[in-house]
Amino acid sequence: MSDITSNPPPHDDLTSRLTLSRYPRSSSYDARWTIENQMGPHALWLLEWLAPALGLDALRPGAHVLDLGCGRAMTSVFLAREYDVRVTAADLWVKPDENARRIAEAGVADRVLPVLAEAHDLPFGEGSFDAIVSVDAYQYFGTDDLYLPTLTRLLKPGGRIGVVVPALREEIEGSEPPEHLKPFWDPAFWCFHTPGWWRRHWTRSAAVEVEAADWLPDGWRDWLLWCDVVAEESTDDFHVRMSRESARMLRVDEGRMLGFARVVGRRP
């Protein structure tokens, strides 16, 4: 088993840069491991922000959690190690055998099961999970008005779903992005919405009772820091390019529009 947690010496500049006081659990994980396995914003930071809103009951030891869009399973490993839950790590883009190796190296193969699954065709029975989490993935499929009721049937009554997604501070009117973001805008960014939009979207579905829909204060600064570090330290050319472009965008925006939303709902 490789050691994915670390207590580095004070001169470890990389670890120091990624040690933020509001993410104490995440700060114990090896910085190189998080960089090598990232697929966007720092997933462990975002999950650590999400977890308190889900509540201790949803993440009680032994609970069964679906990690939807788990990427390279960092969040699944984190859930198993930090909360002693059983995790089904579902992703479409990363093969289960690849995640299985990472999960085994992290010492949680007995608690995390990687599966290949598409968000609209999940091979699980009704009431299979105590909680569903999704970090930096739900925006790609969850804006569909009909999606949440289909997904939450997988929750036990009283179970919770919690997501963190890239978000907008205010909704954009019309069909054009803000002028300052036009050089960076990708059509996929139209899936970004405000916490208020997500609250209304979930409330309208009648599938959950919305318990939280809020904004991560200064989340753009965390996002920018992470982009800078990945651009400097990653060995993957694609991620270096994407991180540099995202950093440029975040510096231009300066928190005016871009950040993160956290949304939590409970199945009645």
Side-chain angles (χ1 to χ4, degrees):
M1 180 184 72
S2 63
D3 185 8
I4 65 170
T5 58
S6 61
N7 293 294
H11 63 269
D12 189 330
D13 292 337
L14 177 59
T15 298
S16 297
R17 289 180 70 188
L18 294 177
T19 299
L20 303 185
S21 60
R22 62 172 160 176
Y23 307 121
R25 291 177 185 257
S26 302
S27 296
S28 71
Y29 285 73
D30 181 72
R32 293 286 176 191
W33 184 77
T34 61
I35 291 169
E36 290 170 3
N37 294 301
Q38 62 84 33
M39 294 181 69
H42 198 309
L44 299 191
W45 290 348
L46 298 180
L47 178 56
E48 189 164 355
W49 177 50
L50 173 64
L54 274 170
L56 293 178
D57 183 61
L59 297 178
R60 67 187 183 279
H64 193 185
V65 180
L66 172 62
D67 187 1
L68 183 57
C70 68
R72 294 194 174 107
M74 281 202 301
T75 47
S76 303
V77 167
F78 186 90
L79 286 164
R81 290 174 66 114
E82 299 299 320
Y83 299 99
D84 196 24
V85 296
R86 295 180 297 124
V87 186
T88 296
D91 200 81
L92 178 64
W93 297 343
V94 182
K95 294 179 180 178
D97 58 346
E98 295 175 11
N99 275 340
R101 287 192 293 272
R102 269 183 290 275
I103 290 163
E105 289 170 357
V108 291
D110 59 331
R111 282 168 284 165
V112 182
L113 174 67
V115 300
L116 182 70
E118 202 279 325
H120 296 88
D121 188 23
L122 296 172
F124 312 117
E126 183 166 348
S128 295
F129 300 100
D130 297 289
I132 298 171
V133 303
S134 184
V135 175
D136 188 30
Y138 191 82
Q139 69 274 15
Y140 294 123
F141 41 81
T143 58
D144 181 344
D145 289 337
L146 303 179
Y147 184 72
L148 188 62
T150 301
L151 177 62
T152 52
R153 70 176 179 80
L154 304 180
L155 282 173
K156 296 174 182 177
R160 286 181 171 83
I161 175 173
V163 308
V164 178
V165 292
L168 299 176
R169 192 176 290 276
E170 58 185 63
E171 286 296 314
I172 299 172
E173 299 296 332
S175 58
E176 295 292 327
E179 195 66 32
H180 72 284
L181 291 177
K182 280 185 177 180
F184 312 99
W185 198 260
D186 184 289
F189 293 174
W190 290 114
C191 70
F192 298 174
H193 293 285
T194 65
W197 186 95
W198 283 107
R199 177 182 290 277
R200 183 184 64 209
H201 183 58
W202 281 22
T203 299
R204 284 176 170 175
S205 76
V208 296
E209 299 167 352
V210 179
E211 297 182 328
D214 53 5
W215 181 264
L216 177 58
D218 282 334
W220 74 276
R221 296 184 187 276
D222 299 343
W223 193 356
L224 175 58
L225 169 62
W226 178 242
C227 287
D228 283 341
V229 170
V230 172
E232 295 167 14
E233 301 289 342
S234 177
T235 57
D236 185 305
D237 290 342
F238 173 77
H239 288 301
V240 168
R241 291 195 305 272
M242 292 297 293
S243 295
R244 285 175 178 165
E245 186 70 4
S246 295
R248 287 180 59 221
M249 178 177 67
L250 292 165
R251 282 192 168 88
V252 168
D253 184 61
E254 292 187 317
R256 284 179 282 173
M257 288 293 292
L258 298 170
F260 296 102
R262 172 179 62 181
V263 195
V264 175
R266 175 183 177 275
R267 183 181 180 182

